[in-house]
Amino acid sequence: MQVDEWSPPPVLLTVDLVILTLREGRLCVLLVERGEDPFQGMLALPGGFLNHAGEEILDAAHRELSEETALTAGWVHLEQLATYGDAGRDPRGRVVSVAHLAIAPGLPEPVAGTDAMDAAWVPAKSVLSGELELAFDHRRIVTDGIERARTKLEFSALATAFCGELFTIAELQQVYEAVWGTELDTRNFYRKVQAVKGFIIPAGSGRRTTGGRPAQLYRAGPKTVLFPPLIRPVPSTREEDTREEGE
């Protein structure tokens, strides 16, 4: 009995980046305006195909990050997020994306890459609510990336990746409020942060004056896993209803 020879289906591989930062106290994600088809003129995540067959996926993610933000690995938190490979996600054929989450503080105004017409920081809530329509399945990827960040803020020291080298507890609280999308009680937050030994450590005698009493400066401590964790508040019924209406 003759058996037809099998050959693997053609599959293309890309990397996409969910780049998050805080701007004026708001959680923002970097989006580009596509300069070519498919979805020309639509907003999308920065990313692209591998440069060549021998390029490692992580190297491709670092390359895209450098091209889009001029940042290197030493200045940014970068981790693999998930793989997206639904058969119909890209009209060009079977394209699988390995998405990465990148976080850094105080990122500058972006400059569009070679295949983009424009690039801008966009409030994350505009994407989560569906107010902005993104190309491909990029809204799903952004949503997954933000949920990853929200969850990791509970159990890891990821929040310090949104801060500069030195920061105050008030500035750290702003990170949690911006990423979680909810206000926190200042005294309660201070108590919880101080209860996690090694999460943050005082920066010597450094203090920052913001118009009131000089605030103690801190830097990221050696602990990467928080115990006890900083559990995010359960949203109120009104907040849940508003979120559902925006979906």
Side-chain angles (χ1 to χ4, degrees):
M1 179 178 178
Q2 184 177 0
V3 179
D4 294 336
E5 184 178 352
W6 179 86
S7 60
V11 177
L12 298 174
L13 188 65
T14 67
V15 293
D16 287 307
L17 297 174
V18 181
I19 305 175
L20 301 178
T21 194
L22 262 59
R23 297 179 67 82
E24 299 180 351
R26 297 187 299 178
L27 180 66
C28 292
V29 58
L30 181 62
L31 297 178
V32 300
E33 183 180 348
R34 289 185 57 78
E36 56 187 36
D37 286 328
F39 305 111
Q40 182 177 4
M42 289 188 64
L43 295 176
L45 291 170
F49 291 98
L50 300 186
N51 258 350
H52 50 80
E55 185 177 34
E56 298 293 341
I57 294 175
L58 184 58
D59 292 340
H62 282 297
R63 172 177 54 78
E64 290 289 344
L65 179 67
S66 177
E67 291 175 358
E68 299 294 345
T69 66
L71 289 174
T72 59
W75 291 90
V76 65
H77 172 89
L78 181 67
E79 65 178 70
Q80 191 173 121
L81 174 61
T83 301
Y84 300 84
D86 290 355
R89 65 180 300 274
D90 194 316
R92 292 169 294 189
R94 191 65 186 272
V95 180
V96 175
S97 173
V98 181
H100 290 72
L101 175 64
I103 295 171
L107 294 179
E109 290 295 332
V111 177
T114 56
D115 59 349
M117 293 188 293
D118 197 8
W121 292 108
V122 175
K125 66 178 182 180
S126 298
V127 179
L128 296 177
S129 67
E131 175 185 342
L132 293 178
E133 184 179 359
L134 304 190
F136 306 104
D137 53 357
H138 287 185
R139 183 189 171 203
R140 173 189 173 192
I141 298 176
V142 171
T143 301
D144 291 348
I146 293 174
E147 181 57 30
R148 167 75 67 84
R150 286 174 170 172
T151 300
K152 293 196 71 170
L153 255 61
E154 298 184 70
F155 302 98
S156 78
L158 181 65
T160 59
F162 285 96
C163 300
E165 181 181 359
L166 300 178
F167 51 87
T168 65
I169 290 183
E171 290 168 340
L172 186 66
Q173 180 176 336
Q174 290 176 1
V175 171
Y176 277 88
E177 290 180 335
V179 177
W180 282 349
T182 185
E183 293 185 4
L184 302 174
D185 179 80
T186 299
R187 290 186 178 181
N188 193 34
F189 180 80
Y190 184 91
R191 177 180 58 80
K192 289 183 176 181
V193 167
Q194 295 288 25
V196 185
K197 303 301 180 183
F199 176 22
I200 58 174
I201 55 178
S205 59
R207 290 184 177 273
R208 178 173 297 161
T209 302
T210 57
R213 294 175 53 190
Q216 172 70 53
L217 290 173
Y218 294 84
R219 57 168 46 94
K223 282 288 185 70
T224 57
V225 178
L226 304 187
F227 185 82
L230 276 65
I231 303 300
R232 61 179 138 167
V234 177
S236 65
T237 302
R238 181 177 180 181
E239 288 175 337
E240 289 179 335
D241 292 342
T242 302
R243 185 175 59 187
E244 290 174 358
E245 288 174 1
E247 291 178 350

